[in-house]
Amino acid sequence: MALVKSGWLWRQSSILRRWKRNWFVLYLDGSLVYYHDETQRDMDGRIHIKYSCRDVRIGRECRDVQPPEGRSRDCLLTIVLRDGSKTTLCAESEDDAVAWKMAVLEAKSTPVRLHPLKRGTLSRHGLWADRGGGSSRPPLFCLAAPGVTHVIVREDPYRVSGDQMALGLL
């Protein structure tokens, strides 16, 4: 997965409202994952921004939230989820809070598209859409516009129903 942004943020717990410092990683597919530390071994949680995020607020827009001790209200960042819950974060600086907001909005709005090529044609990058020899198999892969998340969808030859499945993200 393509990395959009990573770094330390303070996260407010949902029950006791205590602040805890976590290492956050935001991926272009919309996954905002937070870990115990930057080794990324122990995942503390995940937010699916693309599907769950309704709004992102920063600074004074984060009403009824007290920042961690020694931090300014301008460093606050609230991710409002579709189910009505909120995830409240605090960045190291006001500029960092703005950068996180922009990164989250980018990940939220980046489309995931399937762009199939016609068999026997060249993509704009010179990659063949079939394996040659008039094969009836699907293309190895296809390319869409730069900056678009690519999803490869192929029919599973071992599946009786003929359904399609996503094989992965590039």
Side-chain angles (χ1 to χ4, degrees), residues 42-97:
D42 299 321
M43 184 175 78
D44 281 350
R46 174 188 307 250
I47 301 169
H48 297 284
I49 296 295
K50 196 173 292 302
Y51 309 108
S52 302
C53 179
R54 188 177 67 199
D55 191 20
V56 181
R57 301 175 184 156
I58 60 170
R60 306 274 177 210
E61 300 170 335
C62 303
R63 300 181 193 100
D64 303 327
V65 178
Q66 291 299 319
E69 190 174 324
R71 300 281 174 214
S72 166
R73 177 173 288 285
D74 296 327
C75 299
L76 290 174
L77 177 78
T78 299
I79 299 172
V80 182
L81 303 176
R82 293 190 192 282
D83 66 3
S85 65
K86 298 175 185 176
T87 300
T88 305
L89 308 170
C90 186
E92 298 295 320
S93 68
E94 182 179 356
D95 289 342
D96 198 27

Side-chain angles (χ1 to χ4, degrees), residues 127-138:
L127 301 171
W128 285 103
D130 73 15
R131 299 171 194 251
S135 170
S136 62
R137 288 193 260 176

